[in-house]
Amino acid sequence: QKEVEQNSGPLSVPEGAIASLNCTYSDRGSQSFFWYRQYSGKSPELIMFIYSNGDKEDGRFTAQLNKASQYVSLLIRDSQPSDSATYLCAALSSNTGKLIFGQGTTLQVKP
Amino acid sequence: EPEVTQTPSHQVTQMGQEVILRCVPISNHLYFYWYRQILGQKVEFLVSFYNNEISEKSEIFDDQFSVERPDGSNFTLKIRSTKLEDSAMYFCACSTVSYNEQFFGPGTRLTVL
C-alpha cells in the first residue's frame, strides 16, 4: 500500500518564524512531490512541487527532497497569520497522474 | 488566471438517487481527475481521465461511478445510486500532462440523506 505520512499537528509558530513541515512516503518509485495548502472548507491550492533531490525555493517557501530517506519537507520563512492552514503533501503515484495525499499538517501562526 | 470551475457548490440528495457533478477544466489541460475528501479525512484519488478514456481508477470508483467528457469542455462525475457514505467534498483537478502539477476546482459538497 503506497502511503504518504504527515504529522497532523497542530504546529504552532510565532509570526515571523520559520515553519517546518515534514512528510515521508513509502513508494520508492514516486518521482514527484507536491505541497498544497488547504484552508478549512476550501480546495487544495498548489504551493510548489519538487522532483529532484535537494532544495527548491519559491519566494518564502522552500521544498526539500531526500529520495534516499524518502522524505519531503516544506519550509515557510517569515510565517504570517495568513499562512495558518492545513498543508498537504502529495506523491505522484503513477504515470496516470494519481496523487496520494498525506493527512495534512495544520499550521497555526500566532501574531 | 485560468481556473477550474465546479457546479453545483453544494448538492443534497436522497440515498439511492443519481447525482451528476460537473467540472470545467482549464482549457489547455488534457488530463482530468476526480478526488474526494470525507470530512476530516485525507484527499482520496478516484479516477484519472485522458483522451476520453479512464487511465486509472481507485477501489472506491466502483460500478456506481462513471465519468464522461460529454462536450469537449465539461467533465462530469456521475454516481448512479448514492449511499450515505458518498457524502464528501468532490474535487475536480486537471493538468497539462500526467506528471505535472494538478490544479483543483473549488469542490462540490455532496450530502446524502
Side-chain angles (χ1 to χ4, degrees):
Chain A
Q1 181 83 342
K2 299 175 184 177
E3 292 187 342
V4 173
E5 298 290 339
Q6 295 180 258
N7 187 324
S8 60
L11 172 66
S12 183
V13 301
E15 183 175 355
I18 296 175
S20 177
L21 304 157
N22 306 313
C23 167
T24 59
Y25 60 96
S26 64
D27 181 16
R28 285 197 174 272
S30 295
Q31 294 295 316
S32 300
F33 304 88
F34 302 83
W35 283 100
Y36 287 86
R37 177 173 61 196
Q38 187 176 34
Y39 293 110
S40 181
K42 302 296 185 181
S43 64
E45 174 191 4
L46 181 71
I47 298 173
M48 62 191 304
F49 68 96
I50 187 167
Y51 52 84
S52 297
N53 269 330
D55 295 0
K56 179 181 178 183
E57 188 174 316
D58 184 1
R60 294 187 298 115
F61 300 96
T62 299
Q64 299 173 317
L65 174 61
N66 183 327
K67 290 186 179 180
S69 301
Q70 296 176 245
Y71 179 88
V72 192
S73 65
L74 179 71
L75 301 179
I76 307 175
R77 287 181 297 281
D78 189 23
S79 296
Q80 300 298 308
S82 58
D83 294 327
S84 298
T86 297
Y87 288 80
L88 308 178
C89 174
L92 185 65
S93 168
S94 68
N95 59 6
T96 64
K98 174 181 177 181
L99 289 179
I100 296 179
F101 282 84
Q103 68 267 41
T105 298
T106 299
L107 174 66
Q108 297 173 345
V109 181
K110 299 194 173 179
Chain B
E1 184 174 324
E3 59 182 23
V4 181
T5 59
Q6 290 186 243
T7 54
S9 56
H10 190 189
Q11 175 88 49
V12 182
T13 190
Q14 294 291 325
M15 188 170 56
Q17 295 297 303
E18 175 182 288
V19 294
I20 298 176
L21 310 183
R22 292 182 168 80
C23 168
V24 178
I26 297 171
S27 62
N28 63 338
H29 288 208
L30 302 177
Y31 292 79
F32 313 116
Y33 315 89
W34 284 101
Y35 293 84
R36 80 172 186 189
Q37 187 176 30
I38 295 170
L39 186 63
Q41 297 188 23
K42 294 183 183 185
V43 175
E44 299 175 287
F45 170 82
L46 293 178
V47 66
S48 57
F49 188 87
Y50 169 70
N51 199 26
N52 282 319
E53 289 185 346
I54 290 175
S55 306
E56 185 173 355
K57 58 184 180 180
S58 71
E59 293 176 352
I60 303 167
F61 195 91
D62 61 21
D63 292 345
Q64 295 301 312
F65 290 84
S66 62
V67 289
E68 193 178 35
R69 194 142 195 257
D71 57 13
S73 61
N74 288 283
F75 179 50
T76 63
L77 174 69
K78 181 192 292 186
I79 309 175
R80 289 189 184 79
S81 178
T82 50
K83 306 181 184 69
L84 296 176
E85 54 265 36
D86 293 329
S87 295
M89 282 288 284
Y90 287 81
F91 296 112
C92 172
C94 61
S95 61
T96 51
V97 293
S98 63
Y99 48 83
N100 270 6
E101 61 269 38
Q102 295 178 20
F103 296 92
F104 282 68
T108 293
R109 180 177 299 281
L110 176 64
T111 301
V112 182
L113 302 176

